[in-house]
Amino acid sequence: MPKVEINGISYDAIVGESLLGVGRANKAHIGYACGGNGVCQTCEVTVESGMSALSEMNDVEKSWLTPAKIADFHRLGCQARITGDEHIQVVTRAEVFRHKFNNAFKDQPAVPTDHPQGYVGEFFSYLGYETLAHLAAVPAVTINSFQRVGDGRLTFQVINDTINAWGERFPEFGSVLADITGDVGKMARPLLDAIGDATRNLPDALRPLGDAFDDATRNLPDAVRSVTDVVAATTRDAANVVADATDRITKEARTL
């Protein structure tokens, strides 16, 4: 029986099973946002050993992976299937991302990194590279997806698979978010305390403005009444002037 080691943990597998199938069945740290249909790239892995015991790279993988990634033995877990009884060792992209994130914001390793901006710079460099590689693949992936729809390999079943995948992983997201927000809360506590002090003092700071506004609104009816009286008086005067002018014009017209 073949063995598949994912992120340092070994699992039993069967010939014909995909790497994603092994990881998903054993709750390994591997992504499958599209439910394993090759339209999201979250199941990407790096094969460290046992490539000969995997199926040949197909058109879906070639559309997603850059030449550099292909040369570095990257595969899509949903497409790469076990073909031989060998020990296969892979590291998932999700695990690499987690490791770099922890080095940058949680673990603070004693051994320095070669990156000039330290582990934080290493994390953002990795994130930027992966984002650009993902965007660069979009045209080829779009064409490949239409081709698969045309030949019946990609159907509306992808929608159900995606919904099921997110429903399956949702409980895990909750715990991950709790860890992240807990760490963010610790880092942000000084800022939150400062905001709290400012908001506590805000009513006192705004009270003079409120008093001035109250005074203005209390005097507003009188001010409006004065303006209304002036407008009314001006209108009456203007009407009288127009009436007088009309009378004179009428009288002059009669004498002609």
Side-chain angles (χ1 to χ4, degrees):
M1 176 178 288
K3 295 279 188 181
V4 177
E5 183 179 324
I6 303 176
N7 302 329
I9 302 176
S10 185
Y11 306 103
D12 292 331
I14 57 175
V15 173
E17 190 175 15
S18 69
L19 293 177
L20 175 60
V22 178
R24 188 172 181 176
N26 292 280
K27 303 296 182 183
H29 191 209
I30 185 171
Y32 47 93
C34 71
N37 288 278
V39 292
C40 73
Q41 199 191 7
T42 56
C43 64
E44 184 180 336
V45 302
T46 303
V47 181
E48 297 186 331
S49 65
M51 182 70 86
S52 60
L54 294 174
S55 58
E56 293 293 328
M57 183 172 290
N58 62 20
D59 60 322
V60 179
E61 295 179 271
K62 290 177 182 178
S63 68
W64 268 120
L65 301 173
T66 64
K69 286 192 171 189
I70 293 174
D72 287 338
F73 308 109
H74 288 236
R75 300 292 301 268
L76 292 187
C78 67
Q79 303 297 312
R81 295 189 173 275
I82 302 167
T83 59
D85 189 6
E86 296 182 29
H87 184 81
I88 302 168
Q89 185 178 9
V90 302
V91 176
T92 67
R93 187 176 65 168
E95 179 67 12
V96 174
F97 185 89
R98 184 191 70 82
H99 179 70
K100 290 185 181 297
F101 178 88
N102 287 345
N103 282 347
F105 301 108
K106 292 181 65 176
D107 297 339
Q108 298 179 346
V111 179
T113 176
D114 294 333
H115 196 283
Q117 280 77 45
Y119 282 104
V120 173
E122 183 179 286
F123 168 75
F124 282 107
S125 294
Y126 176 77
L127 180 62
Y129 172 78
E130 290 297 316
T131 301
L132 290 175
H134 192 91
L135 292 175
V138 168
V141 170
T142 302
I143 294 172
N144 179 262
S145 296
F146 278 116
Q147 291 173 339
R148 287 194 289 151
V149 169
D151 60 28
R153 287 184 293 158
L154 187 62
T155 68
F156 283 112
Q157 181 61 35
V158 67
I159 298 175
N160 290 330
D161 292 342
T162 301
I163 293 172
N164 291 334
W166 281 87
E168 185 178 320
R169 298 303 294 268
F170 191 78
E172 300 174 30
F173 295 154
S175 61
V176 171
L177 286 175
D179 290 341
I180 293 175
T181 53
D183 293 330
V184 171
K186 292 177 183 178
M187 292 185 289
R189 183 164 291 119
L191 176 61
L192 294 175
D193 291 342
I195 293 174
D197 292 339
T199 53
R200 280 194 295 272
N201 297 326
L202 192 59
D204 293 334
L206 294 179
R207 186 167 291 114
L209 178 61
D211 293 340
F213 183 78
D214 288 340
D215 292 339
T217 53
R218 278 196 298 270
N219 296 326
L220 188 60
D222 294 335
V224 171
R225 189 175 297 110
S226 298
V227 172
T228 303
D229 292 342
V230 171
V231 171
T234 303
T235 304
R236 284 194 301 271
D237 292 341
N240 292 333
V241 171
V242 172
D244 291 342
T246 304
D247 289 341
R248 285 198 297 271
I249 292 172
T250 302
K251 291 177 182 178
E252 292 293 334
R254 288 198 189 105
T255 62
L256 295 177

